[in-house]
């Protein structure tokens, strides 16, 4: 990162107003960033009649990257338009275990690359009659190829042997058939090895032997479900970061929700948001800073302090301060 980057900051609702400031404290310790603070979510909707004000959409559209917290009931009305605004065609969700954190499957270390614009999340629903409603599943060759290109770049740049495609083309023969064929074609052209698995069978295999997977490429809904399953293997959603990546901009957010049951208590685990900030740094080209942040988070998870969800008694601010203290030259 050779010049000052502009980052839009959207805390959202609930614990977003606690974990996002914690992540900003860490970012400030390692990078020179100009922030644009904007709001979205349930509280904004109650005050202004819309969960996504125009100035928020504009700020996210123009910033180099966005750090996003979490929203409540209005989540789909906020994050989906924001992803569209930055042309976010892939959702990157790493899931790995950390020292000091109990995990169902301690050997888990994988990344899910999820198509982010199509499938059943394209918003094409209709109520035809009182008895009948429909949902149209959208899959295009162009979006499938774009995801495949990203996946090939990802495995090559991260020294992976290849990736596994999760799909259900034995049932959704036309839509998933197009998706899988396109991914296969792109991988073959790039010389990248590809395995395949039906998404339902993969759910079982992931739970029993996650070490069998490294990078998983899948359509939108499958990626949503499988990544949450992976979260359960490593200790919960509170540890998982994510990136919504476009060709020029990205939105970085923890996978967990706004947790209204603990909002305002100052005990939310900021780890996922800080790790999302590390992905943001990497996206901006600050690889060394991103590595330093991840190392500091891992050391804090291993040695404490820890928030109550991990068996500790520390506050959100105390964990953030411990991460900062473990950064180089602090």
């Amino acid at each position: 990162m050779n010049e000052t980057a502009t980052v839009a900051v959207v805390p959202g609702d609930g614990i977003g107003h606690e974990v996002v400031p914690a992540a900003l404290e860490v970012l400030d310790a390692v990078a020179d960033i100009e922030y644009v603070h904007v709001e979205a979510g349930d509280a904004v909707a109650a005050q202004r009649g819309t969960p996504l004000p125009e100035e928020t959409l504009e700020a996210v559209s123009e910033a180099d990257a966005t750090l996003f917290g979490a929203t409540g009931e209005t989540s789909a009305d906020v994050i989906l338009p924001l992803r569209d605004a930055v042309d976010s065609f892939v959702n990157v969700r790493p899931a790995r275990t950390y020292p000091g954190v109990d995990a169902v499957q301690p050997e888990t270390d994988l990344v899910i690359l999820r198509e982010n614009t199509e499938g059943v999340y394209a918003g094409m629903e209709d109520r035809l009659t009182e008895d009948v409603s429909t949902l149209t599943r959208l899959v295009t060759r162009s979006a499938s190829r774009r995801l495949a290109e990203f996946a090939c770049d990802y495995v090559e740049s991260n020294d992976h042997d290849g990736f596994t495609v999760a799909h259900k083309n034995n049932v959704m023969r036309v839509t998933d058939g197009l998706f899988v064929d396109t991914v296969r074609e792109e991988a073959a052209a790039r010389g990248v090895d590809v395995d395949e698995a039906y998404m339902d069978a993969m759910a079982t295999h992931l739970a029993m032997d996650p070490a069998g997977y490294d990078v998983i490429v899948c359509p939108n809904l499958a990626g949503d479900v499988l990544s949450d399953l992976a979260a359960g293997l490593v200790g919960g959603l509170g540890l998982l970061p994510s990136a919504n990546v476009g060709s020029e901009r990205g939105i970085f957010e923890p996978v967990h929700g706004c947790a209204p049951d603990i909002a305002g208590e100052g005990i939310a685990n900021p780890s996922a948001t800080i790790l999302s900030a590390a992905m943001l740094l990497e996206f901006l080209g600050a690889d060394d800073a991103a590595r330093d942040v991840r190392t500091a988070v891992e050391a804090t998870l291993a040695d404490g302090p820890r928030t109550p969800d991990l068996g500790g008694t520390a506050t959100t601010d105390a964990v953030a301060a411990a991460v900062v203290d473990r950064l180089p030259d602090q």
Side-chain angles (χ1 to χ4, degrees):
M1 193 165 63
N2 297 322
E3 57 185 35
T4 302
T6 300
V7 171
V9 179
V10 188
D13 296 308
I15 62 171
H17 286 275
E18 299 162 50
V19 295
V20 168
L24 294 182
E25 182 180 348
V26 176
L27 282 176
D28 285 339
V30 296
D32 182 17
I33 294 175
E34 179 181 336
Y35 300 115
V36 179
H37 295 269
V38 286
E39 289 289 353
D42 297 358
V44 177
Q47 294 169 0
R48 301 179 55 177
T50 175
L52 184 59
E54 186 61 35
E55 63 266 25
T56 299
L57 187 62
E58 182 177 340
V60 171
S61 301
E62 295 178 355
D64 296 308
T66 295
L67 183 64
F68 185 87
T71 46
E73 295 298 322
T74 58
S75 182
D77 299 314
V78 174
I79 194 60
L80 296 182
L82 291 182
R83 289 174 181 171
D84 185 61
V86 301
D87 189 29
S88 168
F89 62 91
V90 58
N91 182 238
V92 182
R93 289 195 177 186
R96 52 161 299 199
T97 54
Y98 293 96
V101 178
D102 290 336
V104 174
Q105 292 285 18
E107 68 275 23
T108 305
D109 187 359
L110 56 87
V111 176
I112 293 177
L113 305 179
R114 164 190 171 194
E115 201 288 317
N116 214 27
T117 66
E118 297 188 337
V120 296
Y121 288 4
M124 301 167 65
E125 293 187 273
D126 285 298
R127 173 65 64 85
L128 301 184
T129 70
E130 187 64 27
D131 185 53
V132 179
S133 60
T134 64
L135 170 64
T136 299
R137 187 171 191 259
L138 174 67
V139 176
T140 65
R141 187 178 299 277
S142 56
S144 301
R145 179 177 292 113
R146 200 176 186 190
L147 174 64
E149 291 171 348
F150 182 95
C152 290
D153 289 341
Y154 186 91
V155 298
E156 290 172 352
S157 62
N158 290 280
D159 297 323
H160 296 294
D161 293 332
F163 57 81
T164 302
V165 183
H167 61 84
K168 193 64 177 171
N169 70 355
N170 60 331
V171 174
M172 295 177 285
R173 297 173 181 174
V174 176
T175 51
D176 261 18
L178 176 61
F179 175 79
V180 175
D181 289 346
T182 304
V183 173
R184 280 198 208 110
E185 291 167 5
E186 183 62 29
R190 296 279 294 272
V192 173
D193 292 335
V194 174
D195 294 324
E196 295 181 30
Y198 292 134
M199 62 181 71
D200 50 344
M202 178 180 279
T204 298
H205 296 155
L206 267 180
M208 297 178 66
D209 183 24
Y213 298 98
D214 194 7
V215 178
I216 300 170
V217 176
C218 49
N220 208 329
L221 177 60
D224 198 2
V225 173
L226 292 174
S227 59
D228 277 14
L229 186 154
L233 303 180
V234 302
L237 292 173
L239 296 172
L240 293 195
S242 75
N244 301 285
V245 177
S247 55
E248 297 182 1
R249 294 174 172 83
I251 300 174
F252 301 83
E253 58 174 322
V255 176
H256 62 67
C258 65
D261 56 322
I262 61 169
E265 296 182 18
I267 58 171
N269 186 348
S271 299
T273 312
I274 297 172
L275 291 168
S276 297
M279 297 180 77
L280 182 151
L281 288 167
E282 204 166 46
F283 179 78
L284 294 176
D287 293 352
D288 290 345
R291 184 183 61 251
D292 290 342
V293 169
R294 289 193 183 100
T295 300
V297 170
E298 290 177 13
T300 303
L301 288 171
D303 300 327
R306 303 186 186 97
T307 45
D309 60 305
L310 298 181
T313 59
T315 64
T316 306
D317 291 343
V319 172
V323 172
V324 171
D325 286 343
R326 288 182 167 99
L327 292 169
D329 301 321
Q330 296 299 314

